[in-house]
Amino acid sequence: MRNRNITIGDVARLAGVSNATVSRALQKPDVVSEKTREKVNAAVLETGYTQNVMARNLRLDRTGMVVALVPDISNPFFSEILSGIESVATREGYNVLIANTNNDPAREHIYASYVQSNLADGILLLNGHVPVPNGAQKIIGDMSNLPPMVALCERIPNVDLPTVVIDNVDAACLATQHLIEMGHTNIVHVAGPIDNILTKDRRDGFLSALENAGLAQNLSDIFYGDFTINSGKQAFGKINQKEAIPTAIFCANDEIAMGVISAAREAGFSVPDDISVVGFDDIEIAEHYYPTLTTIHQPRRQLGVVAMEQLVELISSADAKIADLTTLGSQLIIRKSVKKVE
Amino acid sequence: MRNRNITIGDVARLAGVSNATVSRALQKPDVVSEKTREKVNAAVLETGYTQNVMARNLRLDRTGMVVALVPDISNPFFSEILSGIESVATREGYNVLIANTNNDPAREHIYASYVQSNLADGILLLNGHVPVPNGAQKIIGDMSNLPPMVALCERIPNVDLPTVVIDNVDAACLATQHLIEMGHTNIVHVAGPIDNILTKDRRDGFLSALENAGLAQNLSDIFYGDFTINSGKQAFGKINQKEAIPTAIFCANDEIAMGVISAAREAGFSVPDDISVVGFDDIEIAEHYYPTLTTIHQPRRQLGVVAMEQLVELISSADAKIADLTTLGSQLIIRKSVKKVE
DNA sequence: CTGAAAGCGCTTACAG
DNA sequence: CTGAAAGCGCTTACAG
């Protein structure tokens, strides 16, 4: 078995002081005499004492832990966001439990209940919805009773939560405009899952760009997928069956775009010579893909930083004044997957 | 502030029983009478009680948490491994704290000390070395005192730890042999960081394949990088300065391979027509890259599964008999980045 | 089957 | 500046 834990009592005995004094010497060194402090420090070294954080947290009714609910950590989109979250967490004395939910409500629930169970102080929602808690119905409608939470990347409809996002409608509109400016008129859109809020926003942006340009908007020109490479491939299969093959495709994320490009290539088309493609997110591989991908850059790290800062504030003071909605800037990155048509 | 916590005492009062009975009714239902159990369950529902896991853990001297030390979560290589780890963790009642260390010893230390601090029951080492703990020198040499740990993906030299890996030497040899079988004789290797154990193993495999084939082995044909796309690009820059441009390049991982391919293309070479490239790892994007990447497939999910299973065993019984070294199979995946030379 | 009591390791008002 | 004591929320031998 593990050795018996070395406790504050062991240190106290060796230093010849009380537990209380050891605790103070460690937590608030300036409140004890220098002599005592030195005795305690020596005893800590000699015993190899390390604080039992669980006991401390139990006593203080805090945990120093924050849960990040991520639908899929294998998605490269999230890694830099998490890195931003962690940098703030480290600075503020929190640790981040990255909870991979796979969009499984049961798993979301487990991790959400960490807060109720005093295993975490707050939750970062990267999954686009509020996890349904234990008592289900009881909580809905009584939002004031929810644990500290901040949503990021995807805003959550009908819920009053601090939220950190980019303007997806605007960005999608910008991306589509770029295609239009490059002379394309037959443009289709490969979207995400039909009920997803990002799908809605980016599709709205796409449609409004077409509308502004006076181009036809056929809802049949929107193909739904699930943000994966494979769904991009499948979508291209359908696009390839149209009588008039479009000259440009706006994809709701980079992975879809890579799937579209890869399937187009297999079908004998060249990107961008035959078909131009624009992605969304600017994941790391985008600039190394072939062709390098024109896409919308999201300030991923910054999204994480701002959201975590807001969560920390929320945890430390319940009546903190946090903006409901923080919108960060995004930008169109022009690379080589789009070609001008004459 | 958060509401006062609802405790086991509140439930007990409402149910008209003692705290002890509530605890039993919840943890070992069969040991209380049915009538009592029902009263307690009703009271739990009415109060909305949820267990304070921290208090429970403090009492039981366990945490139900395991730390996975990952050098870089943004590296797609790790995501599927983590997913394997998590599937076992969920099944066994553990949660996984994914600790992104960025190879920063300080961060490794913080997370490693979670075990000492009773915040975690064990550690999964995906970073290739044992974190240096608080008391530093004290621990070295007294391995019996280390917390439960399992190393995976990278074996750790000079340390006696359960380890789950593939045979990197063999696999690298196989990959190089493939190039040789395809008629290549001028082959170079782009390796990882020079002091990394994977670098060593894969380089050894590369060299032994050359030796077996009676091909020249110039150590100047090995270019060191750091497993990133950019290091692959840089390496190709140097390769391109050789008087005799090699016809084949074995890369120590897929990201290097993608960097090499991308730089080669920019320099006017075609892969595989001019230069064949083999990667290592078979990350998700490998089969969607252009050209699709011939590479070594690592059973990533399985690596995570086996390692976590071993860790659980180690935690639950200190004298569990765990194999020192578990070697999982890998395989060469042939795609389109290699061409036969006549 | 159930309760009273001790104890996990810590912190902090309260006295002095 | 320091100590004795209470208490965070839980579980479990020990009696009954």
Side-chain angles (χ1 to χ4, degrees), chain A residues 242-310:
Chain A
K242 289 174 66 92
E243 60 269 48
I245 306 284
T247 62
I249 305 176
F250 168 52
C251 302
N253 77 348
D254 290 344
E255 309 206 62
I256 290 176
M258 293 190 298
V260 162
I261 291 174
S262 157
R265 185 154 45 217
E266 281 165 20
F269 295 94
S270 159
V271 175
D273 289 339
D274 301 322
I275 301 175
S276 290
V277 175
V278 174
F280 202 111
D281 284 348
D282 195 22
I283 61 177
E284 200 200 350
I285 191 83
E287 63 168 313
H288 302 291
Y289 202 66
Y290 179 73
T292 57
L293 198 61
T294 292
T295 188
I296 295 289
H297 179 79
Q298 290 210 50
R300 298 211 297 283
R301 189 181 174 78
Q302 195 59 17
L303 284 164
V305 164
V306 173
M308 183 64 193
E309 280 171 347
Q310 294 190 352

Side-chain angles (χ1 to χ4, degrees), chain A residues 136-278:
Chain A
Q137 317 79 332
K138 278 173 73 179
I139 309 287
I140 306 300
D142 183 5
M143 297 296 298
S144 65
N145 208 14
L146 285 180
M149 290 194 288
V150 173
L152 62 159
C153 301
E154 296 189 38
R155 64 192 173 83
I156 303 179
N158 309 322
V159 177
D160 185 23
L161 226 50
T163 299
V164 184
V165 287
I166 63 161
D167 188 327
N168 284 284
V169 180
D170 251 30
C173 184
L174 195 68
T176 310
Q177 273 170 4
H178 174 62
L179 256 10
I180 295 168
E181 283 161 14
M182 296 300 270
H184 296 276
T185 52
N186 185 356
I187 309 174
V188 300
H189 176 45
V190 182
I194 199 160
D195 52 350
N196 181 282
I197 191 83
L198 295 176
T199 296
K200 178 183 179 307
D201 285 353
R202 293 174 191 175
R203 185 188 55 204
D204 286 355
F206 168 73
L207 291 173
S208 84
L210 292 188
E211 182 173 0
N212 294 344
L215 292 176
Q217 306 165 49
N218 299 318
L219 290 188
S220 64
D221 284 345
I222 295 175
F223 300 82
Y224 292 90
D226 61 5
F227 289 135
T228 62
I229 293 179
N230 272 328
S231 77
K233 289 191 161 184
Q234 283 165 26
F236 186 79
K238 294 191 200 126
I239 292 171
N240 198 15
Q241 287 164 23
K242 289 174 66 92
E243 60 269 48
I245 306 284
T247 62
I249 305 176
F250 168 52
C251 302
N253 77 348
D254 290 344
E255 309 206 62
I256 290 176
M258 293 190 298
V260 162
I261 291 174
S262 157
R265 185 154 45 217
E266 281 165 20
F269 295 94
S270 159
V271 175
D273 289 339
D274 301 322
I275 301 175
S276 290
V277 175
V278 174

